[in-house]
Amino acid sequence: MTSELDVALVGPDRAAEVLGVIHRAFAARPVLDPPATAGDETLLTVAASLERDGGLLATRRGHPMGAILFDRSRPGRLGLLRVSVDPLGRDRGVASAMVGVAEDVAEEQGMDGIWLHVREELPANFRFWNHRLYLPVRQQGPTIEMAKTLWLAREVPDADAMRDLAARVATLLRAGDLLVLTGGLGAGKTTFTQGLGDALGVRGPVTSPTFVIARTHPSEVGGPPLVHVDAYRLGDAAEIDDIDLDATTEESVTVVEWGEGMAEQLSDSWLAITIETRGASPGDPLGTACGVPSDEMRVVTIRPHGPRWLEEPLRSVLLG
């Protein structure tokens, strides 16, 4: 019998264990008005939920310590219901472990993100999810819906593929969007921006703005202009302020190369795009492989930040 925490996908055959965790966990919570409905769950309802959508069961030394029921009713989104930790399992990392597995499940099954409900009377629960980058989407009465759009990484074998990926990103963009590009010299940041500019239909050519710091490319198709910034020569966030990007951010798509740690102040939401030069990973452990051998291989990681990207089909569009 192991002393390690184990989190497993389970079906209706584990309904009794899942139900027990739910009842013990919710019985230990403060009384709410209106009361939580978890106490109404029965062996039949939990088994039916697990049969339909599946769920997770966390055990330690063989004893059930945590459980989650999945909700697959929303296309591209995995719902987490009855997130429960037995009182004996608190402060043992049970909830964090289950959330990590749930996110892995959503990624492996091609979903864009995760949603769940939190009661406003339980601020510690809200902080737990917020710390894991879940943000409030909407509220009905005391129930807050929180959500997270999942990040993604893909191998990109050459410059044409880099431009194609950027073109897919462009289909999601609108005025006010901020992209912060990170990568070494020659990694492909400007190539990515060129693909973005072509797809957005802006006036070119899009070249590295190193010596002018920022360059604006007006749209030729009635869309937002592209503001292309190279922050390589800027020392800190204060120097970003000096070039007055705030004046154009709301009506433009803004791309800042070398902007990590400086440009994020321009908006409450942004896409952090990291381009790494490295070989293909044997066996594809991260699920990034494109299946094309190449000496020019890059790995592009795209992480959404802020409310703008909640409920966006980021993975569906970029990996589809």
Side-chain angles (χ1 to χ4, degrees):
M1 192 171 292
T2 179
S3 62
E4 295 181 357
L5 181 67
D6 179 67
V7 181
L9 288 167
V10 294
D13 58 310
R14 308 294 294 274
E17 294 164 279
V18 171
L19 177 65
V21 173
I22 292 173
H23 281 175
R24 292 192 298 274
F26 279 82
R29 291 185 179 185
V31 177
L32 303 177
D33 184 21
T37 59
D40 299 333
E41 294 283 11
T42 67
L43 189 61
L44 288 177
T45 62
V46 170
S49 179
L50 291 171
E51 176 72 33
R52 182 180 62 249
D53 294 329
L56 298 177
L57 179 66
T59 58
R60 184 184 291 277
R61 300 189 182 96
H63 298 289
M65 286 291 174
I68 295 177
L69 299 178
F70 290 157
D71 182 332
R72 301 178 186 273
S73 62
R74 302 184 187 183
R77 301 275 156 180
L78 182 64
L80 306 184
L81 307 180
R82 310 302 192 205
V83 180
S84 306
V85 176
D86 187 291
L88 295 177
R90 290 178 181 172
D91 301 321
R92 294 177 177 269
V94 176
S96 294
M98 291 194 299
V99 173
V101 173
E103 292 181 357
D104 286 345
V105 169
E107 290 178 7
E108 290 167 3
Q109 296 181 1
M111 295 187 176
D112 289 299
I114 293 178
W115 64 272
L116 69 144
H117 290 148
V118 176
R119 291 290 290 262
E120 68 176 351
E121 305 98 320
L122 302 174
N125 285 7
F126 183 92
R127 290 193 297 271
F128 170 87
W129 293 102
N130 192 238
H131 180 69
R132 287 152 183 80
L133 305 181
Y134 287 76
L135 298 176
V137 178
R138 57 186 65 89
Q139 182 168 354
Q140 183 173 2
T143 301
I144 303 169
E145 182 172 320
M146 304 187 76
K148 179 179 184 178
T149 295
L150 299 171
W151 65 281
L152 64 124
R154 292 303 294 171
E155 289 182 353
V156 178
D158 52 38
D160 288 341
M162 184 70 77
R163 294 187 184 94
D164 289 344
L165 176 62
R168 290 194 178 208
V169 173
T171 66
L172 296 167
L173 298 180
R174 64 191 188 204
D177 284 341
L178 171 67
L179 289 74
V180 180
L181 270 58
T182 302
L185 290 169
K189 299 184 297 298
T190 300
T191 301
F192 181 94
T193 310
Q194 289 169 345
L196 204 68
D198 289 343
L200 291 173
V202 302
R203 186 181 306 157
V206 175
T207 58
S208 175
T210 299
F211 298 105
V212 295
I213 307 299
R215 182 178 289 120
T216 300
H217 299 272
S219 174
E220 297 184 323
V221 294
L226 172 67
V227 175
H228 186 196
V229 183
D230 189 323
Y232 183 73
R233 297 176 184 275
L234 301 182
D236 53 35
E239 294 189 35
I240 287 277
D241 291 337
D242 292 340
I243 57 177
D244 293 327
L245 289 178
D246 287 341
T248 61
T249 299
E250 290 188 4
E251 64 265 15
S252 306
V253 171
T254 304
V255 177
V256 185
E257 297 185 26
W258 303 98
E260 184 179 23
M262 294 187 288
E264 296 89 348
Q265 65 174 329
L266 296 172
S267 176
D268 66 350
S269 301
W270 67 94
L271 289 181
I273 301 176
T274 302
I275 305 174
E276 299 174 88
T277 304
R278 72 169 188 240
S281 301
D284 190 27
L286 299 179
T288 64
C290 64
V292 179
S294 171
D295 293 333
E296 304 174 49
M297 188 68 73
R298 304 289 192 267
V299 175
V300 180
T301 302
I302 302 178
R303 294 182 183 273
H305 295 269
R308 157 72 178 93
W309 295 102
L310 293 178
E311 302 185 305
E312 283 288 343
L314 191 68
R315 292 172 59 84
S316 296
V317 169
L318 301 186
L319 300 179

